[in-house]
Amino acid sequence: MKHVVCWGLWNRVTKVVPILDSIEKYIPKDVEVWFIFDNCVDGSDVILNTHKEKLYGRRVFTMSTSWEIKEVGMHKLALEFAVLRGDIDVLTILQDDQSLTGPIVEPVNKLFETEKNIGVVGGRSGYDALDYVKARCAPWSPGAALPGNIKLKPGEWAKCILLNSGPVTYSIPAVKVVGYPDTEYVRVYIWDDYGVRCKEAGFQNYVIGTEVCHSVPDSGASKTYGKPGVVAHD
């Protein structure tokens, strides 16, 4: 099973080095890593090249867009390339303000080796209806602290229908059946729409307890979730 990990970045120059540090620490060298730079004008791609020694010994692929395609557009672009490549089974995409605080490839691989007919896997929160109650949440997710929700342990997974973005893991065989996220679909949260599409196509979706530092600079008070010392922002 070939599993690729991808980051989509939009002007996150201060986040590139923490992402690279977490790749060094938590992603095995034989796992391919992708970066999509969404019309970055802040030098995010330059910082990546400046610290390229952190990526030595692994296969790396970078893409840049000439105009903003936003988060869902980067997901679609990465998935199109994964399907075109033809040798990729699983693609995990993280947000540009997320770095790893623990392994992600090994737990997700275990899920795919254990369960069958997987559609899409959330690494943040999963739920079954648009009332967002009784969510199953990764330990770092703000939702894990809300009454009635379930906090998953790292590597623990649960079935769901709908999910939050960041991280999101796609089964490429399922993508070939379901298609790509709809960049024009704005009536409902895009990954809720995609979760329903997977379910209607006969696939089972999951949420898994990931270990992620999710931090948005200059955005209000921070809270600590998951591991001690890991700062996340709502």
Side-chain angles (χ1 to χ4, degrees):
M1 180 172 62
K2 185 173 179 62
H3 186 166
V4 171
V5 181
C6 174
W7 269 267
L9 297 102
W10 178 72
N11 293 329
R12 292 290 192 180
V13 68
T14 62
K15 297 300 176 183
V16 174
V17 172
I19 289 171
L20 294 177
D21 288 341
S22 74
I23 291 171
E24 274 193 302
K25 190 169 184 179
Y26 295 115
I27 297 184
K29 280 286 182 70
D30 61 346
V31 173
E32 190 171 335
V33 177
W34 296 356
F35 298 91
I36 301 176
F37 295 98
D38 189 19
N39 193 32
C40 292
V41 296
D42 68 343
S44 294
D45 51 345
V46 176
I47 292 296
L48 178 68
N49 190 59
T50 301
H51 294 275
K52 60 186 177 182
E53 74 281 355
K54 294 179 179 290
L55 298 170
Y56 286 170
R58 67 172 75 243
R59 188 172 183 182
V60 179
F61 182 78
T62 63
M63 293 178 269
S64 298
T65 66
S66 299
W67 59 88
E68 288 179 26
I69 59 176
K70 303 187 184 300
E71 184 178 9
V72 66
M74 288 188 280
H75 280 232
K76 183 173 184 286
L77 178 61
L79 289 168
E80 287 173 337
F81 186 68
V83 170
L84 180 65
R85 271 270 297 267
D87 63 337
I88 297 167
D89 304 296
V90 178
L91 176 64
T92 294
I93 306 178
L94 291 99
Q95 294 173 328
D96 55 12
D97 52 0
Q98 294 180 331
S99 54
L100 300 173
T101 61
I104 193 167
V105 173
E106 296 90 339
V108 170
N109 283 356
K110 184 177 179 180
L111 166 60
F112 274 81
E113 291 163 358
T114 303
E115 307 291 352
K116 305 299 180 185
N117 208 37
I118 296 175
V120 64
V121 179
R124 184 171 182 171
S125 299
Y127 32 90
D128 295 321
L130 292 177
D131 55 12
Y132 305 113
V133 300
K134 297 181 180 178
R136 283 75 77 194
C137 305
W140 60 271
S141 170
L146 297 179
N149 288 350
I150 298 172
K151 182 166 73 172
L152 300 172
K153 298 176 182 177
E156 181 183 8
W157 64 78
K159 293 180 180 179
C160 66
I161 299 174
L162 314 175
L163 57 131
N164 276 358
S165 175
V168 177
T169 296
Y170 296 89
S171 163
I172 300 304
V175 171
K176 292 178 180 178
V177 175
V178 177
Y180 303 112
D182 187 350
T183 58
E184 302 299 324
Y185 194 88
V186 296
R187 290 174 292 171
V188 181
Y189 188 54
I190 290 165
W191 285 272
D192 288 340
D193 170 57
Y194 198 77
V196 171
R197 287 167 57 194
C198 286
K199 180 179 183 296
E200 290 179 344
F203 295 100
Q204 175 63 61
N205 303 328
Y206 291 86
V207 58
I208 189 169
T210 56
E211 297 176 89
V212 168
C213 175
H214 185 203
S215 57
V216 182
D218 305 320
S219 62
S222 64
K223 300 178 182 179
T224 300
Y225 299 99
K227 290 183 175 179
V230 175
V231 176
H233 297 255
D234 296 356

